[in-house]
Amino acid sequence: MKNSSLNNLSVATGSMLCALFASCTGNEKAVQSERPNIIHIMTDDHAFQALSAYGGAISKIAPTPNIDRIAQKGMIFQRAYVENSISAPSRATLLTGLYSHKHGQEILTNGFKPDNTVFPELLQQAGYQTAIVGKWHLQVEPKGFDYYKILKNQGDYYNPEFATKETNGEYVREEGYATTLTTDYAINWLDKRDKKKPFCLLVHHKAPHRNFMPESKYYDLYEDSEFPYPDNFFDDYTSRGPAAKSQQMSIMHDMTMGYDLKVNELNDNLPPHLEWSKADWEKARARMTPKQLQAWDAAYGPRNKAMLEANLSAKELAKWKYQRYIKDYMRTIKSVDDQIGRLLDYLEENKLMDNTIIVYTSDQGFYMGEHGWFDKRFMYEESFRTPLLIMYPKMIKAGSVCNELVQNIDYAPTYLALAGVESPVKMDGRSLVPLFSGDKPQEWRENLYYHYYDYPAIHMVRRHDGVFDGRYKLIHFYGEGKGKDEGADIEYFELYDLLTDPHEMKNVYNDTAYKEHADRLRKELHGYQQDLDIVEGNLNLNEKI
Ligand code: SGN
Ligand code: CA
């Protein structure tokens, strides 16, 4: 395992900070004079493929001009990753700068250790005003925030419930659309804050998370377009192991007609696996006001009817599902983009752009039909990788690009370093500040460790860990199977060469031409497991698997 001595760069003073990254000449004054404000904007499940700053095919039809403003005026990260591709663990990692097994939130539902040190509390102690609005998703009360207004669990798109300190943590229904409401609360808080103190604000949107419900003004947007299908939409998983085959996140087989695709006309003769889907879609509909529901049915009703009358073949139905999915998903992104534009305008009008670091990212990546999938969890690229844009005019030149390997363990150390605050606990991540100049620092990590734990659980993705060095990716699937239908006990590797096989269609682990890389990465993985005290999935290097 390669990790630099700059690990956990959280330092007490601006001059120490600059001593640690010599390439930041000219920045010292900035750090010493005025501590920066911090805005961390994080969406839920926003794929980098669906953001026009990254230039993919989807965004040619559905661009994101406002989010792109952050890239144009700042830095785009081409290799930003998570350490565990799922919401609550990712949020806990953001707060603590730790890998999942250290903060305890390895899986979606529980585990966060209440005594974890979180970066907002350290900023608060150092005189920052701190706030979080939107999705929280941890089972503990937010700590380290002067103000919070958080969504209940996953949050709802229409008329969602929010809790604040003033309601003693009780959730209260608010009328409106989640993305707009979350932005309202962010701007209200900014407006009322004590303008003499620096601030740190986390804006965590629910969108574009399942079940992808757009705002009424966008029901017709993209309706006449046909989004392109990824080349591997009809992947048959040849050369991949059982995990890729036994997942339950296929658009064709697992995306539900009711809840996901909003076909409420399917009332009779439902196959049993769609029953829950209908009930959940009814619950989401019941949240809407009669007026909202009427607008929804006026837009979606005729389209549903046309689809049902068309008597589609299995393949045509898969394509219809993909189009319905991606259009609704991109419509929710359109609202996110509008609202981020509104927030950026507010910051501009209030002269807050120069001394604020603005970060845009997602809690993990997402499959937009690659391998035939939606959802995330796997270490395969589209779920493992996230969008990451950072704007901070004092240190970052407009239009810069970073190709170094960065991970969500790095956010907390970055924010603490910028504020000149030292962490009492050693974090796993490292400050991104040395990357802001655009030059490659002398020492930077050469690979990343990933570990997914949440099995058995919805979508049935098997446990795995692995290492990625920017070109080669080794994935180690392991663990007990849960019953006959959900698979046997497994222990195997996959290896991909992202340069020649960017879509990870060809597992070359058993190809002798790649033996050197397989052996090298197995050693790296073993090194991470030892150094990080990993307790599950440990390798025995003497055993050939
Ligand atoms: C819910 C979703 C799943 C999703 C998980 C985790 N089902 O369980 O599809 O994988 O959240 O998502 S839903 O019926 O409730 O929409 S995460 O973004 O929170 O990690
Ligand atoms: Ca998520």
Side-chain angles (χ1 to χ4, degrees):
M1 172 175 107
K2 287 260 167 56
N3 237 328
S4 125
S5 56
L6 288 185
N7 204 353
N8 190 24
L9 176 64
S10 307
V11 290
T13 67
S15 53
M16 271 175 76
L17 186 80
C18 276
L20 280 169
F21 54 98
S23 59
C24 79
T25 21
N27 293 328
E28 184 172 7
K29 228 168 120 202
V31 174
Q32 278 176 342
S33 58
E34 227 184 324
R35 290 181 296 173
N37 304 309
I38 298 161
I39 299 194
H40 183 90
I41 309 171
M42 190 158 82
T43 36
D44 193 353
D45 294 359
H46 190 187
F48 69 87
Q49 312 90 290
L51 211 163
S52 43
Y54 286 96
I58 294 169
S59 62
K60 299 276 182 289
I61 299 175
T64 50
N66 287 300
I67 304 176
D68 292 1
R69 278 160 69 184
I70 305 175
Q72 281 148 11
K73 295 182 181 168
M75 182 172 260
I76 184 164
F77 288 74
Q78 296 291 355
R79 287 196 173 126
Y81 293 88
V82 288
E83 56 81 49
N84 181 5
S85 179
I86 186 142
S87 168
S90 166
R91 288 161 205 278
T93 294
L94 158 69
L95 293 169
T96 60
L98 298 175
Y99 289 106
S100 295
H101 68 293
K102 299 227 191 129
H103 57 59
Q105 186 85 35
E106 293 180 345
I107 59 172
L108 193 63
T109 46
N110 63 320
F112 190 80
K113 296 178 193 153
D115 60 351
N116 277 323
T117 299
V118 294
F119 82 84
E121 69 183 326
L122 300 176
L123 292 180
Q124 198 180 37
Q125 286 156 17
Y128 269 72
Q129 291 166 93
T130 56
I132 177 166
V133 292
K135 187 161 167 179
W136 169 247
H137 213 192
L138 296 170
Q139 306 307 315
V140 295
E141 217 207 319
K143 83 169 161 175
F145 295 99
D146 299 323
Y147 173 78
Y148 66 78
K149 186 139 187 169
I150 52 169
L151 286 161
K152 192 172 176 182
N153 302 323
Q154 291 284 5
D156 284 284
Y157 282 101
Y158 279 86
N159 314 318
E161 284 85 16
F162 285 89
T164 61
K165 278 187 193 166
E166 290 69 43
T167 65
N168 286 323
E170 287 292 308
Y171 288 92
V172 178
R173 180 183 186 273
E174 306 274 355
E175 197 166 316
Y177 188 68
T179 310
T180 317
L181 291 171
T182 301
T183 311
D184 290 346
Y185 304 145
I187 292 178
N188 288 348
W189 182 78
L190 285 173
D191 238 9
K192 290 200 190 114
R193 76 189 200 281
D194 175 352
K195 310 229 159 61
K196 291 191 285 302
K197 291 184 177 173
F199 66 82
C200 170
L201 169 65
L202 314 188
V203 184
H204 288 187
H205 288 291
K206 186 242 165 22
H209 189 272
R210 204 178 182 189
N211 69 334
F212 332 107
M213 286 180 77
E215 192 178 359
S216 59
K217 63 177 167 188
Y218 292 134
Y219 291 162
D220 294 337
L221 187 68
Y222 315 130
E223 194 50 27
D224 298 332
S225 305
E226 185 172 23
F227 281 85
Y229 300 88
D231 290 346
N232 55 1
F233 185 60
F234 291 106
D235 192 352
D236 62 3
Y237 314 116
T238 307
S239 91
R240 267 63 53 78
K245 297 175 180 123
S246 66
Q247 47 60 41
Q248 295 175 6
M249 46 191 258
S250 137
I251 292 176
M252 202 187 302
H253 306 294
D254 306 304
M255 192 160 248
T256 58
M257 289 301 275
Y259 180 64
D260 289 310
L261 302 163
K262 299 107 177 174
V263 185
N264 39 294
E265 291 80 356
L266 275 180
N267 285 331
D268 303 319
N269 306 320
L270 271 181
H273 73 282
L274 289 181
E275 281 295 342
W276 75 270
S277 142
K278 188 183 155 221
D280 277 14
W281 177 223
E282 288 302 333
K283 257 193 247 159
R285 287 171 61 82
R287 303 191 58 82
M288 297 166 100
T289 63
K291 206 171 147 223
Q292 288 168 338
L293 202 51
Q294 205 185 8
W296 182 281
D297 287 338
Y300 285 78
R303 295 173 201 165
N304 292 350
K305 194 164 167 271
M307 184 276 294
L308 291 168
E309 284 170 3
N311 237 328
L312 303 174
S313 68
K315 202 166 175 180
E316 285 163 346
L317 184 62
K319 288 183 156 186
W320 181 88
K321 286 181 170 187
Y322 178 71
Q323 293 298 329
R324 169 65 58 100
Y325 157 50
I326 196 162
K327 285 176 190 173
D328 278 349
Y329 179 102
M330 292 315 296
R331 288 167 183 148
T332 72
I333 288 294
K334 177 72 180 153
S335 299
V336 169
D337 191 68
D338 290 348
Q339 295 302 319
I340 288 180
R342 199 178 136 214
L343 181 59
L344 294 176
D345 289 347
Y346 174 90
L347 297 170
E348 260 164 24
E349 280 154 24
N350 289 277
K351 313 248 172 315
L352 285 166
M353 282 305 212
D354 289 347
N355 198 38
T356 302
I357 173 168
I358 303 171
V359 174
Y360 180 80
T361 189
S362 169
D363 65 339
Q364 8 74 200
F366 212 67
Y367 295 101
M368 306 301 302
E370 298 86 0
H371 306 287
W373 296 337
F374 66 110
D375 215 67
K376 52 265 176 175
R377 298 160 192 268
F378 277 110
M379 196 186 170
Y380 303 126
E381 203 67 358
E382 294 84 359
S383 133
F384 178 33
R385 183 175 158 195
T386 61
L388 175 61
L389 312 174
I390 304 187
M391 179 179 161
Y392 184 39
K394 279 196 173 148
M395 291 190 179
I396 297 175
K397 271 208 234 95
S400 352
V401 180
C402 179
N403 290 311
E404 297 304 316
L405 292 166
V406 306
Q407 208 166 18
N408 58 342
I409 46 175
D410 300 331
Y411 296 127
T414 304
Y415 298 145
L416 293 176
L418 284 168
V421 173
E422 192 162 10
S423 169
V425 292
K426 189 182 175 311
M427 293 182 172
D428 292 318
R430 44 187 302 188
S431 166
L432 300 175
V433 173
L435 302 176
F436 288 176
S437 68
D439 300 328
K440 189 178 162 67
Q442 273 183 338
E443 278 237 302
W444 192 253
R445 62 165 72 86
E446 291 180 7
N447 47 48
L448 300 173
Y449 178 68
Y450 179 85
H451 202 146
Y452 173 78
Y453 302 83
D454 208 355
Y455 172 87
I458 186 167
H459 303 301
M460 296 307 275
V461 172
R462 301 298 300 255
R463 291 179 190 204
H464 55 288
D465 66 352
V467 177
F468 178 51
D469 70 5
R471 173 166 178 180
Y472 297 100
K473 186 185 291 180
L474 180 79
I475 314 180
H476 165 234
F477 290 95
Y478 71 91
E480 278 175 28
K482 300 290 169 186
K484 196 164 139 272
D485 296 335
E486 284 92 22
D489 297 358
I490 54 169
E491 174 98 58
Y492 66 93
F493 289 102
E494 290 178 2
L495 179 70
Y496 297 93
D497 177 353
L498 277 282
L499 188 70
T500 56
D501 177 27
H503 304 300
E504 296 159 308
M505 299 295 287
K506 198 170 159 226
N507 164 25
V508 293
Y509 183 70
N510 289 317
D511 183 336
T512 46
Y514 289 88
K515 188 176 181 314
E516 178 203 332
H517 296 293
D519 289 349
R520 175 176 61 85
L521 290 180
R522 271 199 2 243
K523 274 193 204 114
E524 292 284 359
L525 180 58
H526 184 252
Y528 270 113
Q529 292 180 340
Q530 300 284 303
D531 290 358
L532 297 174
D533 298 322
I534 297 292
V535 287
E536 287 165 275
N538 277 303
L539 297 181
N540 177 351
L541 277 187
N542 299 323
E543 242 174 60
K544 174 81 183 126
I545 315 173

